[in-house]
Amino acid sequence: MGLFRRDERKKEIRYILSIDGGGIRGIIPGYILGMMNQIIRESGTDRPLYSCFDLAIGTSTGALLAFALTADPENTALSREEGKPFPAMKAETRGIIRRRTVYTEMGVLDRGTDPMTLEDLYISHRSEIFPQRNTVKSILYPLFQDKYSAEAIEGFLDRMIGDKELSDTFIPTAAVSYSLDMGGIYLLRSWESHGLLMKQALRATTAAPMYFPSAHIKEKDTGAEHTLADGGLAANNPALWGYMEARKLYPDADEFRILSLSTCKMQYSSQLSGAQGGLAAWAKEYTKIADDAQLCTVDSMLEAIPGVKYTRIWAPVLTERIKLDATAEPSIGQLQKAAREAYSIEEGKIRGFISDMLEEEIHSSVRIRERKRLPGPSQAMLP
């Protein structure tokens, strides 16, 4: 009988959060993250949303959301009183609010950023990220230089997170960028930060060509220098990269469950016929087709990998193409409406994923602080 005894070790399951790029369309996954947090609270569990995942990864606007969710918000504008909208900040203001904590048998979990505010992050600061230009200049600028200056996005990041270290996250978190000098994906990891700041990583992953200039970073520990652009050039859906990194971080895991939040980009349908060809026919078609093909490839690969349960959140809720910097009121209203429709359509899948997550114990991948003292019969727990 001993020869046939099965290993009684509990199945190790690791959870990954992946968020697509898409500029201002980050309103959609931002809203969904807030609703996920609400579902957790309705379950009677006081766990912060980030503590349910073992890894978070994002591309461009998705990286901004991932780090906003998982970063330690102390001494940043991400730490706010619950439910209040982000204030319009002046350059000299950081809007620092007291931190909050959750007590567990293992120790103290920092509450972190309130996920219910992530949608508002875009609405309150859209004009800081994408400052509007004069109409005449807006037509001419793309021919000779990027649409926005680096100062716009860098100023926003500095006001939001200051000089927070890239490593200062509650769980392993990564941003996807593309190396222009080396070619290929360059990951900015919280667990291998090379001494970089969080704002440097986010500046790199959001450097969308024709919108913002490329980013230049220097690794503090190695001295290596890189010129980086928006990770959407090669991995607008970073879920596959999240899986590969999770395999390295958790080599003994039996299963990986991935929640992939899209920005609900419209699926492009080309009108090219077999008789059409050449630069004239393909100039406007190529990048749109390539981008969709990239997204489809990631979906197909992850669905075919043994030991992976892939949950993709996408719904056909956008009836027109929303540009990365579409910050006018009609576009914002359309995105907010689309966010709610997408959540309604995909709510069953989201609730199912969360239900499975909440059955898992908090893993050692989550940063937990020890209590200063254990509670006695009439003694309050202290952070």
Side-chain angles (χ1 to χ4, degrees):
M1 291 292 293
L3 292 175
F4 300 98
R5 180 178 296 174
R6 297 185 63 182
D7 185 3
E8 298 299 327
R9 179 179 70 89
K10 181 181 178 182
K11 187 177 183 180
E12 182 179 335
I13 302 174
R14 295 290 178 167
Y15 288 85
I16 302 167
L17 173 65
S18 173
I19 313 177
D20 285 14
I24 198 66
R25 296 198 309 272
I27 285 174
I28 296 174
Y31 173 79
I32 290 174
L33 288 170
M35 295 307 294
M36 289 173 61
N37 185 68
Q38 184 169 310
I39 292 170
I40 291 174
R41 290 191 177 182
E42 289 172 356
S43 74
T45 304
D46 199 27
R47 287 177 63 178
L49 177 57
Y50 71 78
S51 71
C52 298
F53 292 97
D54 299 286
L55 171 68
I57 189 168
T59 294
S60 195
T61 199
L64 176 61
L65 285 169
F67 276 93
L69 181 69
T70 68
D72 183 343
E74 187 176 27
N75 297 325
T76 76
L78 293 172
S79 180
R80 311 172 314 119
E81 290 291 356
E82 187 174 336
K84 292 184 179 179
F86 280 97
M89 295 181 298
K90 296 181 180 180
E92 68 275 8
T93 304
R94 290 266 167 80
I96 301 169
I97 305 296
R98 64 185 176 85
R99 66 196 298 164
R100 312 163 91 94
T101 53
V102 177
Y103 303 99
T104 72
E105 293 180 359
M106 300 174 64
V108 179
L109 284 174
D110 286 88
R111 170 66 70 188
T113 304
D114 177 11
M116 299 296 290
T117 66
L118 294 177
E119 176 190 20
D120 185 61
L121 178 65
Y122 293 89
I123 297 170
S124 294
H125 295 291
R126 52 187 156 154
S127 61
E128 295 177 52
I129 304 171
F130 301 112
Q132 297 302 303
R133 294 187 184 276
N134 176 276
T135 304
V136 175
K137 287 186 175 181
S138 295
I139 297 172
L140 299 177
Y141 264 56
L143 296 175
F144 305 104
Q145 64 184 76
D146 296 300
K147 191 171 183 179
Y148 302 103
S149 68
E151 286 75 13
I153 186 69
E154 289 172 1
F156 163 74
L157 293 172
D158 186 60
R159 289 189 293 274
M160 288 303 296
I161 57 178
D163 292 329
K164 182 70 65 174
E165 299 284 343
L166 177 58
S167 58
D168 200 5
T169 58
F170 295 135
I171 63 170
T173 307
V176 180
S177 65
Y178 188 84
S179 174
L180 296 177
D181 39 19
M182 297 174 59
I185 291 292
Y186 180 92
L187 289 182
L188 297 124
R189 308 173 177 90
S190 65
W191 63 96
E192 290 179 2
S193 67
H194 299 296
L196 295 172
L197 300 178
M198 201 173 290
K199 64 184 178 183
Q200 290 178 294
L202 293 176
R203 168 72 177 89
T205 189
T206 56
M210 295 188 293
Y211 286 90
F212 294 107
S214 56
H216 302 276
I217 66 167
K218 183 176 181 179
E219 297 176 0
K220 191 174 181 180
D221 55 356
T222 67
E225 297 186 33
H226 304 275
T227 301
L228 304 174
D230 194 307
L233 288 172
N236 207 48
N237 174 358
L240 186 60
W241 287 90
Y243 165 69
M244 291 189 293
E245 291 301 303
R247 285 295 302 266
K248 298 173 189 175
L249 287 170
Y250 313 112
D252 296 327
D254 300 290
E255 185 176 320
F256 295 91
R257 297 185 181 178
I258 305 171
L259 181 66
S260 175
L261 302 182
S262 75
T263 58
C264 291
K265 176 182 177 293
M266 285 185 64
Q267 292 181 328
Y268 183 68
S269 177
S270 175
Q271 301 302 313
L272 283 179
S273 68
Q276 294 173 299
L279 181 61
W282 280 95
K284 293 183 178 181
E285 303 283 325
Y286 180 77
T287 55
K288 298 173 184 177
I289 293 173
D291 189 40
D292 273 13
Q294 174 202 129
L295 296 174
C296 292
T297 298
V298 172
D299 291 345
S300 299
M301 292 181 71
L302 286 171
E303 288 169 357
I305 297 175
V308 173
K309 184 177 180 180
Y310 179 62
T311 302
R312 177 69 168 165
I313 303 303
W314 180 90
V317 292
L318 292 176
T319 57
E320 61 183 68
R321 181 170 173 258
I322 303 291
K323 294 183 179 180
L324 302 182
D325 61 342
T327 57
E329 286 296 335
S331 296
I332 297 299
Q334 185 176 348
L335 286 170
Q336 289 184 287
K337 180 174 180 288
R340 284 142 183 83
E341 290 176 350
Y343 174 75
S344 178
I345 292 169
E346 300 285 61
E347 183 177 1
K349 289 162 65 174
I350 293 169
R351 285 186 177 274
F353 192 94
I354 292 174
S355 178
D356 290 343
M357 280 200 307
L358 293 181
E359 292 180 1
E360 293 291 315
E361 298 177 353
I362 298 174
H363 288 157
S364 59
S365 55
V366 179
R367 193 175 88 190
I368 298 177
R369 295 186 293 117
E370 294 182 0
R371 295 191 181 100
K372 289 183 179 179
R373 56 181 179 177
L374 295 175
S378 59
Q379 188 177 7
M381 289 181 285
L382 300 177

